[in-house]
Amino acid sequence: MRSRIRGRLRAWATVGVTLAVVAGTAAAAPAESPHSDLGPDITAIMNKPAYENAQWGLLEIDPENGRVVHSMYPNQFFMPGSTIKLITISGAWHALGPDHRFTTPVNAIGHLNGSTLTGNLALVAQGDLTMGGRTKPDGSVDFTPIDHTYADDIPGATLTPEDPLAGLDQIAHQVRDSGITTVDGDVVIDPRLFTPPSISPQPTPLIINDNLIDLLTTPTSPGQAAQLSWRPQVAPYQVTSNVQTVAAGGTTDIQVTASSDGTRITLSGTIAADAKPALKISQIQDPNAFGRTALIEALGRAGVTVTAPPTGPNPDSTLPASYTGDPQVAAFVSPPYHEYAKLILNVSHNLGANLALCNMAVSRGSNNCFDGFPVIHDFLTKTANVDPTQFQMADGRGDVPVDRVTPAGLNQLLAYWLRTPDADAFRTSLPILGVSGTGALFCTTDCPAKGKVFAKPGTIIGFDQLNQQLAINAQTYAGYLEADDGHLYTFFVGVNGAAAPDIQGFFDVNDDVDEIAVILQQEACAEHGAGRPRHKAVTSAKRPLSRIIRP
């Protein structure tokens, strides 16, 4: 059991999710203050034994007048985890525009003779995060509270119902509608938009299903093989399951192994007869080769024959220097970027956050994803009027030791959004407590703050080998508090350096941070509501031990 916990904690440590908050104006930062009348409820939480050697930070500001409501080490650097995502997505939202759509074209290279193309089809990848794989009929982007990208790290991850190959199917039908029924040649993915950077997870110009194979195991009867379903089913990928169903209440422990090229996947282990379907994932090692085969297969379903073998490496050496004179025969258009921002922030989508760096770099004419950082720097200094030295960044998701934020800097950044026409759109792109995204996992019943906290949670956790306990490097939460009359406050609350003896202890730390946010929201209601009593601890909002960890 302990070895499984250690392995999972190593993975959780890479989740690196946190929250950032808006507040105040870009005026002078609040003065350092260990405590500023936090009140007995918050003080009691912060004084628990789990935090004996930890550091708390808290900053709440009324952005209407810049008044500091609560302040605790507002100018100190904190490990942010995915709080960084608010900075990254703020930069991308501004650089690209909330209504920006990625258009992925397909060009016909060669000669058209009737319905036959003698030559190649080239799909020119454009850094589209989902390629239609999450797009709902109304054009919005679908997500679940625990995203499939976390399936190997966090129990309870689920799939959205959309077909991950939907974008490629649309492209294939457009090619057929253009009059092409035969490609006497090949299909090529053009990946030259940017060079995949050395960060994890690594963004690529073409992304299908987050560059993952989904593996869903469903129990049957004890003693029988479990049922397996997997997607997207693309050659030459093959999946074999040796998972057995055991008696109700038994152990669910599923392991996934893959060949070096990722195309031969094997599942082994057990699943309890009364367990819910268990989702696991396997990495697509070569997104371009995968995308090429997936498009050839989609063309076949649409009635277009390709003479080249459907599997094999992507022949990108055959790509032309430019597509001048090569007609465009298809194009997939993405949902607007504000939908991608909502996805990235709600599920803490690490690949999407790192991809945002590349998207920003491309918007400046660069194929070096790290050129996204000057775009963020310019946004902070020239547009948001926020001192960039309040932050330290080396990736888009918050996964490296360099990454740091101050509560004051985040408050200033998010206060900026309240002064823009996109204020409501940006605020509602965050997880909503008890309602959406990772926020839906807390405050679900008998919780007065439900639907009134718009904020991003974050966690960095590992296993302390020396003391055989959990090291909770960061548990943070930040965003907007809405009073009953609609008045908004901005806040950051987080703790670095906590410790817990077991998983239940980690859950308790998670709940403590959330509980402080609930207390702050209820205080805001009391301040802006007639005769509202001061909030006391809402123990009914806490999750049972069986709940899942929020990224």
Side-chain angles (χ1 to χ4, degrees):
M1 175 66 176
R2 177 165 298 194
S3 63
R4 290 201 300 272
I5 290 176
R6 291 178 187 172
R8 180 162 289 164
L9 288 174
R10 282 194 293 270
W12 284 337
T14 68
V15 170
V17 182
T18 11
L19 276 188
V21 192
V22 250
T25 66
E32 293 286 355
S33 175
H35 296 276
S36 180
D37 187 27
L38 298 182
D41 294 335
I42 294 177
T43 300
I45 291 173
M46 292 182 173
N47 286 338
K48 288 183 177 181
Y51 312 119
E52 180 179 1
N53 299 312
Q55 177 64 67
W56 282 92
L58 190 152
L59 182 61
E60 180 189 357
I61 295 179
D62 183 344
E64 185 173 80
N65 52 26
R67 179 175 63 90
V68 176
V69 181
H70 294 299
S71 178
M72 184 178 186
Y73 299 114
N75 301 313
Q76 180 169 309
F77 271 135
F78 284 85
M79 295 178 66
S82 285
T83 300
I84 287 287
K85 288 184 175 70
L86 286 177
I87 306 168
T88 307
I89 299 308
S90 290
W93 185 300
H94 180 262
L96 303 176
D99 297 323
H100 175 80
R101 296 175 186 263
F102 299 92
T103 299
T104 302
V106 176
N107 293 88
I109 306 168
H111 304 285
L112 279 168
N113 184 9
S115 62
T116 298
L117 169 66
T118 303
N120 297 337
L121 288 177
L123 183 150
V124 187
Q126 295 295 308
D128 184 334
L129 178 58
T130 72
M131 280 296 293
R134 295 177 185 255
T135 305
K136 297 192 289 186
D138 64 0
S140 61
V141 172
D142 206 358
F143 53 83
T144 62
I146 301 295
D147 191 62
H148 78 134
T149 56
Y150 287 107
D152 284 351
D153 307 328
I154 304 174
T158 55
L159 296 170
T160 61
E162 290 77 26
D163 182 356
L165 299 176
L168 295 180
D169 281 334
Q170 289 186 34
I171 285 173
H173 282 287
Q174 289 179 36
V175 171
R176 177 64 181 84
D177 291 344
S178 75
I180 297 174
T181 61
T182 301
V183 177
D184 187 8
D186 212 332
V187 170
V188 192
I189 304 301
D190 185 340
R192 296 177 292 186
L193 183 72
F194 60 78
T195 301
S198 57
I199 51 179
S200 178
Q202 185 180 58
T204 51
L206 180 69
I207 296 172
I208 304 296
N209 199 46
D210 299 311
N211 292 339
L212 298 172
I213 302 294
D214 296 316
L215 310 159
L216 187 66
T217 300
T218 302
T220 54
S221 301
Q224 301 298 312
Q227 178 184 344
L228 171 71
S229 61
W230 61 282
R231 70 176 203 186
Q233 296 195 14
V234 173
Y237 282 75
Q238 297 180 7
V239 181
T240 302
S241 176
N242 299 315
V243 178
Q244 296 294 308
T245 305
V246 297
T251 299
T252 296
D253 185 9
I254 300 173
Q255 306 299 320
V256 177
T257 58
S259 59
S260 59
D261 65 357
T263 64
R264 299 294 185 269
I265 303 167
T266 302
L267 288 81
S268 60
T270 59
I271 185 169
D274 58 345
K276 293 182 179 180
L279 181 65
K280 306 293 278 187
I281 51 178
S282 187
Q283 190 74 31
I284 294 171
Q285 299 295 335
D286 188 340
N288 297 324
F290 180 89
R292 171 187 173 271
T293 298
L295 180 52
I296 290 174
E297 293 180 346
L299 289 164
R301 292 191 293 271
V304 179
T305 300
V306 178
T307 60
T311 61
N314 180 51
D316 52 13
S317 62
T318 65
L319 290 169
S322 75
Y323 294 99
T324 302
D326 298 322
Q328 179 176 299
V329 294
F332 179 78
V333 180
S334 77
Y337 191 75
H338 65 79
E339 284 292 321
Y340 283 0
K342 183 180 291 186
L343 166 67
I344 294 167
L345 294 173
N346 265 268
V347 309
S348 201
H349 199 286
N350 292 322
L351 179 63
N354 282 342
L355 178 64
L357 292 175
C358 304
N359 297 147
M360 285 184 278
V362 169
S363 75
R364 286 278 184 95
S366 172
N367 65 358
N368 182 345
C369 293
F370 291 107
D371 283 339
F373 287 113
V375 179
I376 296 174
H377 192 279
D378 286 351
F379 161 71
L380 292 172
T381 57
K382 299 177 181 178
T383 301
N385 194 26
V386 175
D387 178 6
T389 64
Q390 302 253 16
F391 312 124
Q392 295 176 345
M393 297 180 66
D395 68 355
R397 60 171 283 199
D399 184 48
V400 295
V402 166
D403 294 335
R404 293 291 189 276
V405 300
T406 69
L410 290 173
N411 274 263
Q412 291 167 15
L413 171 64
L414 290 157
Y416 155 79
W417 284 110
L418 292 179
R419 303 189 295 271
T420 71
D422 292 333
D424 288 342
F426 189 85
R427 175 172 55 88
T428 57
S429 72
L430 299 173
I432 304 174
L433 189 65
V435 175
S436 69
T438 54
L441 302 174
F442 183 82
C443 204
T444 55
T445 60
D446 300 324
C447 181
K450 183 176 181 178
K452 298 292 185 179
V453 179
F454 305 79
K456 175 101 181 51
T459 301
I460 304 176
I461 184 171
F463 190 79
D464 174 5
Q465 297 283 357
L466 178 64
N467 299 295
Q468 294 292 291
Q469 63 181 357
L470 304 187
I472 305 168
N473 295 328
Q475 186 63 43
T476 58
Y477 199 36
Y480 300 92
L481 308 165
E482 182 180 12
D484 287 343
D485 64 354
H487 189 82
L488 293 173
Y489 294 78
T490 61
F491 78 100
F492 169 94
V493 59
V495 61
N496 281 184
D502 51 28
I503 293 297
Q504 178 61 65
F506 166 73
F507 290 155
D508 292 342
V509 173
N510 198 353
D511 286 342
D512 283 344
V513 172
D514 288 347
E515 182 62 25
I516 290 175
V518 172
I519 293 171
L520 296 176
Q521 190 275 334
Q522 287 294 279
E523 288 180 347
C525 289
E527 183 171 290
H528 275 261
R532 287 291 301 271
R534 190 174 185 277
H535 169 75
K536 299 298 181 182
V538 185
T539 55
S540 60
K542 291 178 179 273
R543 289 156 290 190
L545 178 59
S546 61
R547 71 198 181 285
I548 41 189
I549 294 177
R550 232 178 18 186

